[in-house]
Amino acid sequence: MVVAWFVYGCKHLTRFMNFQSEELTLQVAQMARDFALREIRPHVMEWDEAQHFPAELFREMGKLGLMGVLVPESYGGAGLGYFEYVAVIEEIAQVCGSIGLSVAAHNSLCLGHLLLFGNESQKTKYLPLLASGEWLGSWGLTEAGAGSDAANMKCTAVRDGDSWVLNGSKCWITHGISSHLSVVLARTGEPRARNNATAFLVERGTAGFRGGKKENKLGMRASETAEMIFDQCRIPDTNRMGEVGDGFRQALAVLDGGRISIAALSLGIAQGAYRAALQYSKEREQFDQPISQFQGISFKLADMATEIRAAELLTWQAADLKNRGLPVTAKAAMAKYYASEVCVKVSTEAVQIFGGYGYTKDFPVEKYYRDSKLCTIGEGTSEIQMIVIAREALKG
C-alpha cells in the first residue's frame, strides 16, 4: 500500500491507499472548506445556542454534490468515493461538528442503506431527491430500550396483505422530525430470534408516522436529534428493502460505512480544536514569552498532533478498503474507536491550553469540547467498537 502525503492550506493529510485521484480529492476538500467558511462559520454559535437546525443549508450543499457524495451520477449524485467523502466530512466538522454530523448521517446511513440494499425502483425514485438535497434522509434503528441490544426492538412491522403496519418508536434519530425519507428497522419476528428484523422506507407525511420529542443536547446542538413515532403506520410492501428478516445483516453493513463517517467527523473536530489551541499558544504570553515555549504546553501539542495523525491513518485505511470493496468491519471499528477517543482527548487538552478563556463561549474550543463526546457514543459506543474489534481479531 502506498503512503502519500498531501499538503493543502495549513494542514497535512496522511493517507495510505492506492490513490489515483489526488487532485480530485484536494479539489473536493477545498470546495467543502470554502463552503463551510463562507456559509457555516458565521452562524455556528447562533445555531448552537438556539438549537436551530438550518434545513435550508442542506439544499445549498446539495447543489454542490455534498448531499450525494457516494451516489452514482446516473442517480443524480456526485459519483465520488470514500476518500472524497471523508475529506468532505472532515472539512465541514472542522468548522461545525453539528453540520458535519448531519451530512454524515444523511450520506452514510440513509443513502448508504439505499445504495447497498435498495432495488432499482427504490433507487430510481429516491436517490435523486436525496442526492440533490431536496429531500433529507434519516435512519431509524435505536430505541429507548434497544440501543446496542438491537435484537430486542419493540418497534414492530406486521404484514397485512400487500402492506405492512408499523407500531412503536425510535429515539436518538438524526433528522427524526425534519427528514423526508427514513430507513426504518422494525422487528418482523420474535424478540431475540435470528433474522427477526426488516428494513422499510417510510416517507414523511405517511399516515401514522410523526416526529416526537427533540432532544436538548450537550453538543451537536444544530443537528436535529429526535424521536420517530409509528402508530398504525401502513406502508406498501414495495417499500420493503431486501428480504423479510434481513434487516440486521443490512444494518451491520451500513454501520461499517457509518463508522468511517464518525471517524472522519472526529478527525474534523480534533483538527479544529488542535489548530485553535496551536494558534492561541503562539499568541498568549506569560512570563514574557508565548506559552507554546513552555514544555508543558509544547508536549501537549506534540501529543495532540501525533494522535491526530495516527487516527487519520486508520480512517484513510478503512476508506481505502471500503473503496475497493474489501472487508472493512474491523478497520472501520478501529478507526471509529480510536479517532473518537482522540477527538475527546484533543478537545479537552485544547480547553486546558486556553485556560479560563477555553471555558467561555467567546472562544471556539468549548464547542469542540462539547461536540466531541458524541463521537464516542453515536453509531456504536467505544465499548461496542472494542467488542467488534476483539471478535474480528479472534476470528483469525
Side-chain angles (χ1 to χ4, degrees):
M1 207 171 276
V2 178
V3 178
W5 291 79
F6 307 109
V7 181
Y8 63 95
C10 59
K11 159 181 165 186
H12 296 69
L13 285 181
T14 309
R15 309 171 180 176
F16 50 116
M17 54 200 156
N18 296 319
F19 191 48
Q20 298 177 350
S21 57
E22 169 185 346
E23 188 59 34
L24 175 60
T25 304
L26 297 175
Q27 289 173 357
V28 170
Q30 184 68 58
M31 177 184 65
R33 184 186 314 120
D34 290 345
F35 180 87
L37 292 175
R38 184 179 66 252
E39 304 294 339
I40 300 173
R41 175 164 285 175
H43 309 288
V44 166
M45 291 311 297
E46 170 196 343
W47 293 342
D48 182 80
E49 292 284 333
Q51 280 208 108
H52 172 66
F53 177 62
E56 66 286 350
L57 180 77
F58 298 94
R59 287 189 285 274
E60 293 303 310
M61 284 194 282
K63 295 175 183 177
L64 297 177
L66 302 180
M67 300 300 282
V69 180
L70 302 168
V71 176
E73 292 181 81
S74 58
Y75 295 110
L80 301 173
Y82 264 79
F83 301 144
E84 290 76 30
Y85 176 57
V86 166
V88 165
I89 300 301
E90 188 177 351
E91 290 295 339
I92 293 173
Q94 285 191 56
V95 174
C96 181
S98 296
I99 305 305
L101 174 64
S102 279
V103 173
H106 173 90
N107 275 280
S108 68
L109 296 180
C110 182
L111 275 170
H113 205 132
L114 257 174
L115 285 167
L116 285 173
F117 299 108
N119 59 39
E120 187 58 33
S121 176
Q122 291 165 347
K123 290 179 180 179
T124 300
K125 181 177 181 180
Y126 294 119
L127 285 178
L129 291 166
L130 293 163
S132 68
E134 184 179 343
W135 277 25
L136 192 65
S138 61
W139 194 70
L141 174 63
T142 305
E143 299 181 9
S148 300
D149 185 16
N152 197 31
M153 289 190 302
K154 300 297 188 292
C155 183
T156 61
V158 177
R159 188 150 196 171
D160 182 18
D162 292 331
S163 300
W164 292 83
V165 180
L166 275 63
N167 282 289
S169 64
K170 299 290 179 178
C171 66
W172 303 110
I173 307 304
T174 305
H175 314 144
I177 295 171
S178 297
S179 61
H180 299 83
L181 181 73
S182 184
V183 177
V184 179
L185 280 295
R187 182 163 55 80
T188 49
E190 294 301 313
R192 301 196 189 285
R194 290 178 61 85
N195 304 320
N196 73 342
T198 305
F200 300 91
L201 290 159
V202 185
E203 294 185 28
R204 190 163 97 190
T206 301
F209 172 41
R210 62 184 175 87
K213 175 190 174 185
K214 179 179 177 179
E215 301 297 339
N216 185 9
K217 299 174 297 183
L218 169 71
M220 303 289 195
R221 290 169 59 82
S223 178
E224 179 187 275
T225 304
E227 288 181 308
M228 295 194 303
I229 298 170
F230 305 92
D231 182 10
Q232 294 295 309
C233 176
R234 183 177 294 271
I235 59 172
D237 186 55
T238 53
N239 279 30
R240 170 173 48 85
M241 301 185 73
E243 299 301 318
V244 174
D246 198 34
F248 282 141
R249 183 188 70 83
Q250 294 178 16
L252 290 174
V254 171
L255 284 170
D256 281 345
R259 285 165 182 164
I260 296 173
S261 293
I262 300 300
L265 182 71
S266 302
L267 280 175
I269 294 170
Q271 286 276 17
Y274 168 72
R275 292 197 332 203
L278 179 64
Q279 185 63 35
Y280 180 80
S281 75
K282 294 176 180 179
E283 297 171 353
R284 171 69 165 169
E285 291 193 357
Q286 291 285 276
F287 303 100
D288 302 320
Q289 63 178 325
I291 63 172
S292 60
Q293 298 303 307
F294 294 103
Q295 191 176 78
I297 299 299
S298 65
F299 277 16
K300 286 182 185 295
L301 294 168
D303 275 343
M304 293 159 79
T306 301
E307 291 180 352
I308 288 171
R309 294 286 83 75
E312 199 164 51
L313 285 170
L314 282 171
T315 303
W316 287 99
Q317 184 188 34
D320 178 47
L321 294 173
K322 186 71 172 172
N323 265 350
R324 294 192 281 144
L326 297 175
V328 72
T329 299
K331 293 298 191 294
M334 288 177 185
K336 196 272 187 189
Y337 167 56
Y338 188 74
S340 64
E341 293 291 338
V342 164
C343 179
V344 172
K345 181 179 178 182
V346 167
S347 62
T348 301
E349 292 286 47
V351 171
Q352 193 71 17
I353 289 171
F354 270 78
Y357 291 113
Y359 204 65
T360 72
K361 293 182 181 293
D362 294 329
F363 291 85
V365 289
E366 71 85 29
K367 183 176 184 298
Y368 290 122
Y369 177 73
R370 288 186 290 108
D371 287 349
S372 68
K373 189 56 191 171
L374 182 67
C375 296
T376 67
I377 298 171
E379 297 192 36
T381 62
S382 291
E383 292 75 16
I384 289 296
Q385 304 314 309
M386 287 191 280
I387 290 172
V388 172
I389 294 164
R391 186 178 293 154
E392 292 296 312
L394 291 168
K395 287 181 181 178

